[in-house]
Amino acid sequence: MNVDWSRITHVTKVDPAKSLPDDLEVLDGTDLIIVGGSDGVTAENTLEAVSAITESFPSLPVWQEPYSSDHVSRDTIEAVDYVSVPAVYNGDREHFVGKHVDLFTEVGKKPEELLGSSLPVVGSLVASKGEKAVSKLTEKLIGEGYVVQHLDSAAADVSGVETQYTPEQVAGAALATESFYGFPVFYVEYSGTYGGPADVEAASTYLSETTLLYGGGIDSREKATEILKAGADAIVVGDCFHDDPDRFRETIPA
Amino acid sequence: MNVDWSRITHVTKVDPAKSLPDDLEVLDGTDLIIVGGSDGVTAENTLEAVSAITESFPSLPVWQEPYSSDHVSRDTIEAVDYVSVPAVYNGDREHFVGKHVDLFTEVGKKPEELLGSSLPVVGSLVASKGEKAVSKLTEKLIGEGYVVQHLDSAAADVSGVETQYTPEQVAGAALATESFYGFPVFYVEYSGTYGGPADVEAASTYLSETTLLYGGGIDSREKATEILKAGADAIVVGDCFHDDPDRFRETIPA
């Protein structure tokens, strides 16, 4: 991964299943786009959202955060800068490691299909083609150590989260990310509700190489500032981008 | 981690609960010692084994691979070069992520205890002391992506392994290690039985930065050579070091 986080403090999470604001100029000042969601998301509407945004802001980095493999296609992979894949610490086994090994097993088995090549599957040709294709794909993958803290959310639902971490456990997961799993990003996700600064303060204590993101319920300058002061490298703003562009504008640091 | 793997092809796994050979010179030619086991292992006998070995071979690198936190003490941490911590892909949630977050939560909570400091727990003094202590400890941690392939083994038992991976799944776990979890070591463990070269061949296809270790049932020059030819960076030899030092000698590449 080669991202200059010193220039990224405001991230906009775009749900491709929701309609975009009429005037995309509201994005002026945000530093990164993450496209992803659960209900109704497809590779097609993901691609539409990415295209609309890159048309208005060609130099704005765009990631895709897929919830399921059918959100991903050869075209989506080529359209985005990175594909960010959550590993949910307080989720079930499937959503920290199970699905990931399945994904990489598929990638290892038929990379040429994944990248839409039509090369015949013959011997060393495909072996080499395969490994090239795999490295091409894996170069774009970014692991995100996730803690999903709003139990009554779609994010918690899809990742089997039944327990909210205490700030001490959040700090433990952050420390595990920094010194054991090595994901470049640690993400505190309050998905739809504002969690306040406690988890971010706890996590930031032990993060130096890892980038700390907070998302959830940020709809004002005050909340944005509180989370950044608590130690987040960047805030992630989603809902009000779709629902209330004026409030969204307030969350972008001047 | 700062280990020169180009010089390491033979690893000896020492079970501190078993007695050492009368003549430790049998270790001459092995490149790395990993001390660890399940039944009967304590921090005390771990320390004894480490001391005996470093006395005979002061420059031989020694790691500890603890199965449980009571195998670890401030003294064991200081006695070894690294503490290697397995994350078992085909184990239960606890043994890939659960116990690890618990460990790091403890580390984050009371590092001064973990490192035996007697500093009073007061404010920023401990905060800074704490972070120093944590980094001191975490510097020594090495994550190992593990696949435990012998279901009828203590290793499978303690880590909740109920399914053996196919070579394709082993390749998937290897690829996940290389490009997602970022453990510096990928370990194919046949614990007590010889698994042959298939899994090593499958895994080595997608590993470049990650070191590939194979352990299990190696008790001859032929098996040692077969696994190394299949693409393992190093073989791990355990049982016959304790049971049959002459056979053990045969496993050390000339």
Side-chain angles (χ1 to χ4, degrees), chain B residues 1-5 8 61 63 81-82 139-142 184:
Chain B
M1 182 176 75
N2 184 15
V3 179
D4 180 2
W5 284 103
I8 298 177
W63 298 6
D81 297 292
Y82 291 102
E139 270 165 22
K140 284 206 169 187
L141 283 180
I142 292 183

Side-chain angles (χ1 to χ4, degrees), chain A residues 85 89 91 93 96-97 100-101 104-105 108-109 131 134 138 143 165 168-169 172 175-176 179-181 183 205-206, chain B residues 85 89 91 93 96-97 100-101 104-105 108-109 131 134 138 143 165 168-169 172 175-176 179-181 183 205-206:
Chain A
V85 177
Y89 280 104
R93 180 185 176 282
F96 192 82
V97 58
H100 309 77
V101 171
F104 285 106
T105 301
K109 264 152 73 177
E131 288 168 48
V134 166
T138 51
Y165 271 172
E168 278 177 338
Q169 289 173 304
L175 187 51
S179 56
F180 191 73
Y181 298 100
F183 305 123
T205 313
Y206 293 121
Chain B
V85 177
Y89 280 103
R93 181 185 175 283
F96 192 83
V97 60
H100 308 76
V101 171
F104 285 105
T105 302
K109 264 152 72 177
E131 288 168 48
V134 166
T138 52
Y165 270 172
E168 278 176 339
Q169 288 173 304
L175 187 51
S179 57
F180 191 73
Y181 297 101
F183 304 123
T205 313
Y206 293 121

Side-chain angles (χ1 to χ4, degrees), chain B residues 121-137:
Chain B
V121 183
V122 282
S124 63
L125 176 61
V126 159
S128 65
K129 165 72 183 172
E131 288 168 48
K132 276 207 207 79
V134 166
S135 61
K136 197 171 156 190
L137 176 62

Side-chain angles (χ1 to χ4, degrees), chain A residues 14-249:
Chain A
V14 175
D15 186 336
K18 296 183 181 173
S19 58
L20 296 172
D22 305 332
D23 182 3
L24 277 179
E25 286 307 310
V26 297
L27 286 173
D28 183 36
T30 195
D31 306 305
L32 171 67
I33 302 289
I34 300 180
V35 177
S38 46
D39 305 342
V41 174
T42 65
E44 292 64 33
N45 58 25
T46 297
L47 203 56
E48 283 165 23
V50 172
S51 311
I53 290 160
T54 48
E55 218 166 90
S56 310
F57 296 90
S59 61
L60 190 57
V62 178
W63 298 5
Q64 180 186 13
E65 188 176 81
Y67 276 50
S68 118
S69 58
D70 58 6
H71 299 180
V72 182
S73 68
R74 180 195 184 188
D75 293 341
T76 60
I77 292 172
E78 285 183 357
V80 299
D81 297 291
Y82 290 102
V83 178
S84 59
V85 177
V88 183
Y89 280 104
N90 58 337
D92 56 27
R93 180 185 176 282
E94 273 305 286
H95 291 85
F96 192 82
V97 58
K99 285 188 170 183
H100 309 77
V101 171
D102 294 345
L103 166 67
F104 285 106
T105 301
E106 285 307 305
V107 172
K109 264 152 73 177
K110 37 181 180 143
E112 66 289 344
E113 285 178 39
L114 279 175
L115 290 183
S117 149
S118 58
L119 272 179
V121 183
V122 281
S124 64
L125 176 62
V126 158
S128 66
K129 166 73 183 172
E131 288 168 48
K132 275 208 208 77
V134 166
S135 62
K136 197 170 153 190
L137 176 62
T138 51
E139 269 166 20
K140 283 206 169 186
L141 283 180
I142 292 183
E144 296 174 314
Y146 246 72
V147 177
V148 177
Q149 293 287 69
H150 184 201
L151 300 186
D152 183 21
S153 67
D157 229 33
V158 295
S159 45
V161 173
E162 291 170 353
T163 320
Q164 180 175 8
Y165 271 172
T166 64
E168 278 177 338
Q169 289 173 304
V170 171
L175 187 51
T177 301
E178 175 85 9
S179 56
F180 191 73
Y181 298 100
F183 305 123
V185 173
F186 183 71
Y187 196 131
V188 176
E189 172 62 276
Y190 269 87
S191 190
T193 182
Y194 183 63
D199 289 351
V200 170
E201 273 161 12
S204 63
T205 313
Y206 293 121
L207 298 179
S208 60
E209 294 175 5
T210 312
T211 296
L212 176 55
L213 301 184
Y214 168 94
I218 294 181
D219 55 9
S220 71
R221 172 68 51 90
E222 293 62 36
K223 290 172 184 166
T225 308
E226 184 173 50
I227 296 298
L228 289 169
K229 279 206 175 130
D233 292 286
I235 54 169
V236 183
V237 182
D239 296 346
C240 67
F241 167 70
H242 295 284
D243 308 339
D244 190 340
D246 296 337
R247 278 186 158 284
F248 173 78
R249 292 291 312 160

